[in-house]
Amino acid sequence: MTTAMLAAPAASPTDKAWRELHEAATVPYKKGGTFAWRFARGKLGRDPVFRGLLERGLIGAQHRRVVDIGCGQGLFASLLASMSAMQKRGRWPSAWPVTPAAADYTGIELMPKDVARAEASIGHLQPAPQLLCADMCSAALPACDLVVILDVLHYVDLEAQQGVLQRVRDALQRGGNPQARLLLRVGDASSRRGFAISQWVDRTVTRIRGHKVSPTWGRPLAEWTALLQRMGFRVQDIPMSKGTPFANVLLVADLEPAA
């Protein structure tokens, strides 16, 4: 067998671009300390949702005003800024849809330690991200084009979940963008094994991040979809657990046009 036969396949242009984007988006976290940097690299590298959002074109150029609920240490803000920088340098692969040239980002996070890590790591970005230490159930939501909620809505009970989603809908409606969108990742409680595994991992990560573990409330996928439809969203569900044992689903919820 020749050396050429043993060589690994050449990386695709998008794989190379993703590695460059991963590096650019995680480097700022060195300013926040070793934990912040390692967590950012692991989360962005292993969680399929970030590359999935990008390659599926779910973050459009028209989604400039972004609200990230449960933002943690603001990794999504750093990713948006790095995507913008790559496009400006002409290093964006043609296979990827364009994303906002300069996102107006608001992150909402309950845990002060996470907000502190975010401020230390990405507070220098331009435009400057707004990082709010606040409860998603009561925090004021600005008019926006895109709301991202990844794996945090299950921390509040069913009534509170509905309240958060109603306020999200109102914020998107105030934004006046006909292409306003909510990206909501949830666990499908009807998949008992996958849902149980994801909840166990979630509690473990919560402890590692130095936070108290709280009770959680899940719903079957059909109930999540029905709830959003009653609020005036058109909903598409996308499995978002590739390469993991979880039962995560990304709900792409677009506002229906006003009657």
Side-chain angles (χ1 to χ4, degrees), residues 163-214:
V164 171
L165 292 174
Q166 287 173 335
R167 292 168 54 249
V168 164
R169 178 203 58 198
D170 293 346
L172 290 169
Q173 287 177 336
R174 289 198 309 274
N177 186 338
Q179 295 176 294
R181 171 170 289 173
L182 163 65
L183 296 173
L184 171 66
R185 189 166 70 173
V186 296
D188 180 5
S190 65
S191 177
R192 294 187 178 181
R193 182 175 181 274
F195 186 73
I197 292 172
S198 65
Q199 294 298 289
W200 179 83
V201 171
D202 186 72
R203 289 192 292 270
T204 301
V205 172
T206 299
R207 290 191 186 96
I208 291 172
R209 290 165 64 190
H211 305 318
K212 180 181 177 182
V213 177
S214 302

Side-chain angles (χ1 to χ4, degrees), residues 53-61 87 92-99:
L53 294 176
L54 176 58
E55 294 191 330
R56 293 174 183 271
L58 299 178
I59 309 167
Q87 290 170 74
W92 199 245
S94 59
W96 287 355
V98 297
T99 58

Side-chain angles (χ1 to χ4, degrees), residues 55-230:
E55 294 191 330
R56 293 174 183 271
L58 299 178
I59 309 167
Q62 72 277 14
H63 296 136
R64 185 182 62 82
R65 298 168 295 173
V66 179
V67 173
D68 184 5
I69 295 179
C71 69
Q73 57 183 38
L75 184 56
F76 194 62
S78 188
L79 185 62
L80 287 168
S82 298
M83 291 190 293
S84 174
M86 279 184 67
Q87 290 170 74
K88 290 176 181 176
R89 295 197 308 269
R91 298 188 59 81
W92 199 245
S94 59
W96 287 355
V98 297
T99 58
D104 181 1
Y105 175 92
T106 299
I108 297 171
E109 172 57 48
L110 180 63
M111 305 301 183
K113 291 181 180 179
D114 286 345
V115 176
R117 282 193 286 264
E119 291 174 340
S121 303
I122 62 168
H124 67 284
L125 295 178
Q126 293 297 326
Q130 298 296 311
L131 300 166
L132 307 178
C133 187
D135 188 333
M136 64 180 171
C137 294
S138 56
L141 303 182
C144 51
D145 309 308
L146 177 70
V147 175
V148 179
I149 311 177
L150 302 179
D151 311 322
V152 296
L153 208 51
H154 59 274
Y155 285 122
V156 297
D157 63 35
L158 301 186
E159 183 179 356
Q161 290 172 4
Q162 182 169 337
V164 171
L165 292 174
Q166 287 173 335
R167 292 168 54 249
V168 164
R169 178 203 58 198
D170 293 346
L172 290 169
Q173 287 177 336
R174 289 198 309 274
N177 186 338
Q179 295 176 294
R181 171 170 289 173
L182 163 65
L183 296 173
L184 171 66
R185 189 166 70 173
V186 296
D188 180 5
S190 65
S191 177
R192 294 187 178 181
R193 182 175 181 274
F195 186 73
I197 292 172
S198 65
Q199 294 298 289
W200 179 83
V201 171
D202 186 72
R203 289 192 292 270
T204 301
V205 172
T206 299
R207 290 191 186 96
I208 291 172
R209 290 165 64 190
H211 305 318
K212 180 181 177 182
V213 177
S214 302
T216 56
W217 290 264
R219 300 175 189 258
L221 175 59
E223 290 187 14
W224 283 113
T225 301
L227 174 60
L228 290 167
Q229 288 174 336
R230 289 196 298 271

